[in-house]
């Protein structure tokens, strides 16, 4: 193989590796901080996805997720926590607070209205 083909193959492998890492690589889980009202509060930016997209909270105490939608792309106009019966509109360039109390430990997916953008809420034991 000549150097040009080697470069193309290497570039292709790097691109594939990046895609695998992007979609399946380790996600940084962010634990909610407890605010002055005792709620576990976390800010989530919505822009082509959720950031952070793995949120760790403790079972049994109130959670407030502040979703700031930093785009007008219609994909992200709703956020749905199916396991909690929550579906909320997220107006663009606004923070929408979602309050609930997780009563069950486990991993729960939240998505946009079309099930394309995804994040994970991990509810851990309170102690
Ligand atoms: Cu969507």
């Amino acid at each position: 193989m000549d150097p040009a083909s080697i470069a193309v193959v290497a570039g292709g492998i790097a691109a594939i590796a990046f895609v695998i890492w992007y979609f399946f690589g380790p996600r940084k889980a962010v634990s909610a901080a407890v605010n002055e009202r005792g709620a576990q509060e976390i800010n989530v930016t919505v822009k082509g996805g959720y950031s952070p997209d793995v949120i760790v909270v403790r079972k049994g105490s109130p959670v407030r997720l502040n979703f700031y939608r930093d785009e007008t792309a219609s994909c992200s106009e709703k956020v749905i926590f199916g396991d909690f019966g929550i579906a909320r509109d997220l107006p663009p360039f606004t923070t929408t607070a979602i309050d609930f109390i997780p009563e069950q430990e486990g991993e729960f997916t939240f998505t946009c209205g079309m099930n394309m953008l995804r994040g994970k809420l991990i509810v851990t034991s309170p102690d």
Side-chain angles (χ1 to χ4, degrees):
M1 283 201 299
D2 60 87
S5 337
I6 290 168
V8 167
V9 169
I13 290 169
I16 291 165
F18 174 78
V19 166
I20 291 170
W21 169 82
Y22 184 85
F23 286 103
F24 303 107
R27 295 291 165 93
K28 199 167 158 266
V30 175
S31 297
V34 176
N35 70 14
E36 66 283 358
R37 293 184 311 281
Q40 313 177 74
E41 187 160 13
I42 200 149
N43 299 327
V44 181
T45 301
V46 182
K47 191 171 191 177
Y50 301 109
S51 174
D53 63 356
V54 179
I55 298 167
V56 181
V57 296
R58 288 230 227 17
K59 178 183 149 179
S61 53
V63 170
R64 166 165 287 187
L65 302 176
N66 298 312
F67 281 87
Y68 178 74
R69 181 164 162 235
D70 193 17
E71 64 181 359
T72 55
S74 64
C75 186
S76 60
E77 68 192 3
K78 255 189 202 312
V79 66
I80 294 170
F81 289 76
D83 300 291
F84 298 88
I86 295 170
R88 200 63 60 77
D89 289 324
L90 303 176
F93 311 115
T94 307
T95 298
T96 306
I98 297 181
D99 294 295
F100 59 94
I101 299 177
E103 302 285 13
Q104 231 172 352
E105 290 170 36
E107 297 194 359
F108 306 96
T109 301
F110 58 94
T111 66
C112 70
M114 309 111 169
N115 211 10
M116 289 161 68
L117 310 180
R118 289 166 160 271
K120 193 167 30 169
L121 182 78
I122 300 175
V123 181
T124 61
S125 134
D127 30 58

